[in-house]
Amino acid sequence: MRAWPIHLHVGSVERSSALIVGGCNVVYGLSSHEKSNTGFGQVGSHSWIAQNRVLLYDPDGIDMPVDDRDMHVLQTRQQAPIDTRIAFQGLGVNSMQQNAGVFVGDAQITGWDQHQKSNKASGDIGGDHNVEIAGLHVNYDADGMDGVFFDGDYKAGTFVRQG
């Protein structure tokens, strides 16, 4: 027996994040890789930014090499069905940062990877009615190789299949 509709409110979801609602959820081998350069980050509502100087210098020779050769092994096992009951009025998520999850119900998860290299000359300005005047933001990231990730691993999971 499920209580539908469920009222969901999600303000923001960052990279490689999940909001999974259901009776039987299987997440298998989720990967995310990202390199980002941002001169100026996000600004909240009703903010006032004036006469700012932003410099992001990132002259990499090699930018974020990723070696993510995973070996995924999935085994399933049959089981008699189980009655899943989800009963709540609402779920509110204001902000999910990278590699975050909200799981409701029977969640079976394996092989979740997230690699990130990020440069921001000026970070995010959250909230309302912020004022920034004549700011100087410099990010000097002059390395030869940026964000090297070697993540070849063995990921095994046994999932129960009902029904």
Side-chain angles (χ1 to χ4, degrees), residues 39-119:
F40 196 85
Q42 299 175 356
V43 179
S45 62
H46 305 327
S47 297
W48 191 65
I49 311 296
Q51 299 176 356
N52 282 281
R53 291 173 187 85
V54 178
L55 170 65
L56 190 143
Y57 183 69
D58 185 22
D60 300 320
I62 299 175
D63 218 2
M64 204 185 115
V66 175
D67 184 354
D68 188 23
R69 289 180 266 185
D70 297 327
M71 178 182 292
H72 296 276
V73 177
L74 173 66
Q75 295 177 330
T76 58
R77 182 170 49 94
Q78 287 293 115
Q79 179 174 312
I82 297 173
D83 191 19
T84 300
R85 298 177 190 269
I86 300 173
F88 56 89
Q89 292 298 314
L91 175 64
V93 178
N94 290 331
S95 178
M96 290 176 62
Q97 298 302 315
Q98 63 268 8
N99 214 27
V102 174
F103 307 99
V104 177
D106 182 12
Q108 301 176 50
I109 303 159
T110 187
W112 190 324
D113 273 343
Q114 201 271 343
H115 307 97
Q116 175 180 341
K117 168 63 167 71
S118 180
N119 282 335

